[in-house]
Amino acid sequence: MSDRWLDPAADPRDLSPSRGEQGTVLQYLRNYRLTFELKCQDLDAEQMARRAVPPSTLSLLGLLRHLAQMEHHWTVRVLRGVDTPQLYRTPEDRQADLHGGSADPAVVAEAWATWRQVGAEADAVYAAEDWDRLLDDPGAPEERTEVRDVIVHVLEEYARHVGHADLLRECLDGRTGQ
């Protein structure tokens, strides 16, 4: 188990059975977030920003910023309907979240703080939502967004990018799994 982050008994993820759709989906989301955090554990700013699979511009820092941007977009802009700027995006660079970071420790610390804040704010939105309710949207019923659709999309994004993080981390120092 030398290639693993921690002893399975110390795993912070909740693998206990959950009840109901909302409980199950939110438990999976929390576990994916924790898994992503484990994939980045003990890395310095240079390692977080390193593009470990050339010629790709993908880095763990880019994924971190992308996950924060993605969840902010879906929970604040879509579910809550707040017209606020996208995180880490500019009109000139719609993918600045993925490749706009640098190996500066302050940049990495800011990205972690933003990701954690977005997750906490998203959790509050998810907990407050009636999952069977469609948003009070002025558009036609087929244009309304269902809460479960948003969260399933967020889960899909985390699942995909945790897989990317696993490969990037293995390229950095050989650690895998968990």
Side-chain angles (χ1 to χ4, degrees):
M1 302 265 307
S2 63
D3 62 339
R4 302 287 173 127
W5 280 267
L6 42 100
D7 184 290
D11 195 326
R13 295 170 293 185
D14 180 1
L15 304 176
S16 65
S18 59
R19 297 200 186 267
E21 177 186 15
Q22 188 170 1
T24 299
V25 171
L26 293 178
Q27 180 176 325
Y28 269 86
L29 179 56
R30 283 188 299 274
N31 285 340
Y32 273 124
R33 286 183 190 142
L34 284 167
T35 300
F36 181 78
E37 201 163 3
L38 287 171
K39 301 290 179 193
C40 299
Q41 189 174 28
D42 300 326
L43 294 178
D44 62 26
E46 187 281 323
Q47 290 169 311
M48 285 291 294
R50 187 183 309 159
R51 292 166 171 103
V53 188
S56 172
T57 60
L58 198 59
S59 68
L60 289 167
L61 175 59
L63 286 178
L64 174 64
R65 290 162 46 105
H66 174 71
L67 290 170
Q69 183 280 322
M70 173 274 304
E71 198 161 5
H72 176 265
H73 169 77
W74 285 105
T75 59
V76 174
R77 295 172 56 88
V78 175
L79 283 181
R80 290 183 46 220
V82 176
D83 185 18
T84 185
Q86 296 268 10
L87 297 178
Y88 304 117
R89 287 190 174 182
T90 67
E92 301 80 35
D93 190 355
R94 292 186 38 80
Q95 293 190 337
D97 53 344
L98 289 170
H99 50 75
S102 69
D104 180 342
V107 170
V108 174
E110 182 279 328
W112 278 116
T114 298
W115 179 76
R116 287 185 179 102
Q117 178 182 346
V118 165
E121 291 171 357
D123 286 346
V125 170
Y126 303 147
E129 291 294 336
D130 174 358
W131 285 49
D132 294 319
R133 174 187 66 80
L134 295 177
L135 289 177
D136 183 16
D137 188 307
E142 63 272 8
E143 294 174 357
R144 294 180 184 158
T145 304
E146 194 172 343
V147 176
R148 72 170 46 88
D149 286 344
V150 166
I151 295 177
V152 167
H153 178 72
V154 169
L155 278 171
E156 175 188 48
E157 285 275 328
Y158 267 96
R160 179 181 327 120
H161 295 312
V162 163
H164 294 139
D166 198 34
L167 294 171
L168 291 168
R169 178 63 186 251
E170 187 173 5
C171 288
L172 289 172
D173 66 4
R175 291 176 116 181
T176 61
Q178 210 120 339

